[in-house]
Amino acid sequence: MSPEIDVGLVNVTKKFGNLVAVDNVSLEVPKGSFFSILGPSGSGKTTLLRMIAGFEVPTSGDIFIGGQRVNDVPPNKRPCNMVFQRLALFPMMNVLDNVTFGLRRRGGMSKAEMERRAKDALARVGLQGLEKRKINQISGGQQQRVALARSLVLEPTVLLLDEPLGSLDLKLRQSMKLELKHLQARTGTTFVYITHDQTIALAMSDTVAVINHGKIEQIAPPEELYRRPATHFVASFVGENNKLVNGKVVAFQDEEKVEVDIAGIRMLGRAGEALSVNDTVDLFIRPEMITVRPGKGENGILGKVSEINFDGSHSLVIVSLLESKQPLSLNVKIQHTENAPDLKIGDLVTLSWRWDAANAFLSMAQPHIEAEA
Ligand code: ATP
């Protein structure tokens, strides 16, 4: 394994009886990076993280940390530390004692040195001055930072984070996610972060691995995941999308650029996977990637504004398509910029998008095909 890789999983599977919780997963986490594992509830994220930490043993496959195969290394001997969703702080101890706890347990260090390191870790998470406070005398966000300091003070090669922002309210979560990203960049510690919250994964990570039913669907930087999803699942799970179902592939303009007929309307898109003419596909189009021009224009899809929902920085406009064989509408996100079109309900509009702003994947439920006699 390359020295640039801090965590490596090679064909790792974990079964609980008949249930395959993690299914033949291979991935590499580059040194010093912020790596997120994103997936819905029950997809296998926690099991994956617990195997890296050493709390679960893989049924098969190998796990490497810092270049060393750690399958047989107990959790306390692995060069990683885990921050849990339930922070497991000691409520009756003060902040400083919570942070020195791991160092005391490890031993071999003077009290003065432990305190110096703990204060340094607290300063890194912006908590200097609160050393003597009890845990129940600080806020939820501050407790979060104590839990991070308590892990960072042990100087792990890899910090494993089990959705630690999950219990915070929305506002705090927003600010903590940026803090966490800055902290990771400052310390250079490799972070492996599991979450079901895509806004967190997209905002913080260098790389995101999307997991579903124990299998990795895609590993990519956030922007690529968002713009070029590799599977139907990633396209539907990550970000908001218009999902137009059961289109038919009618032609290819080049290898990737595909023409799809949806309810009698020709639409351009990017083939997200290998497709052939006549395949039944779903087309995913981001609401913010659709351009709206007032009136009936050339080269676009004609529609009528049926709903306008104001949402602060933008409006979500629902446009009914006028030339489709079945009722069909698209959600369009319009930023409130100077050039934004001034729309009213009932207005005729023309919609268009860059071909690669729409992603086509084989429909999950293929129509029943009669077997030939
Ligand atoms: P969540 O986001 O809800 O925490 P997750 O993605 O972390 O979910 P896991 O906790 O890894 O998912 O669970 C994956 C699957 O393995 C689930 O079906 C779960 O019920 C099952 N599972 C997890 N731990 C055990 C266990 N100790 N014994 C049996 N089944 C388990």
Side-chain angles (χ1 to χ4, degrees), residues 229-301:
T231 66
H232 191 285
F233 175 79
V234 175
S236 25
F237 188 66
V238 176
E240 286 171 41
N241 253 315
N242 288 287
K243 180 178 171 189
L244 302 177
V245 297
N246 292 336
K248 181 91 48 210
V249 175
V250 284
F252 282 84
Q253 295 199 350
D254 64 35
E255 207 176 302
E256 251 199 337
K257 196 169 171 182
V258 67
E259 261 181 67
V260 178
D261 181 304
I262 296 193
I265 302 180
R266 290 280 176 107
M267 302 189 188
L268 282 181
R270 165 187 166 263
E273 61 189 324
L275 298 176
S276 311
V277 170
N278 277 334
D279 276 347
T280 303
V281 293
D282 298 339
L283 196 65
F284 295 87
I285 313 162
R286 302 268 178 222
E288 76 278 16
M289 301 296 276
I290 301 176
T291 304
V292 182
R293 282 166 291 145
K296 184 172 179 183
E298 304 270 299
N299 297 329
I301 297 168

Side-chain angles (χ1 to χ4, degrees), residues 132-206:
K132 295 291 171 211
R133 290 262 193 97
K134 293 270 189 335
I135 293 301
N136 54 15
Q137 295 170 334
I138 60 176
S139 73
Q142 289 166 336
Q143 290 178 12
Q144 189 59 60
R145 284 184 260 173
V146 174
L148 282 170
R150 186 177 59 173
S151 289
L152 286 171
V153 79
L154 299 170
E155 298 182 335
T157 307
V158 179
L159 197 59
L160 305 172
L161 300 112
D162 179 4
E163 203 127 32
L165 306 186
S167 56
L168 303 179
D169 67 51
L170 182 67
K171 200 102 195 191
L172 199 51
R173 196 156 67 227
Q174 302 287 17
S175 68
M176 277 301 293
K177 79 179 175 196
L178 290 181
E179 275 190 38
L180 205 57
K181 183 177 169 146
H182 296 156
L183 182 72
Q184 189 275 331
R186 264 204 318 276
T187 58
T189 308
T190 303
F191 276 26
V192 180
Y193 191 103
I194 64 168
T195 182
H196 63 263
D197 182 341
Q198 50 166 300
T199 61
I200 288 188
L202 294 180
M204 296 197 300
S205 320
D206 298 305

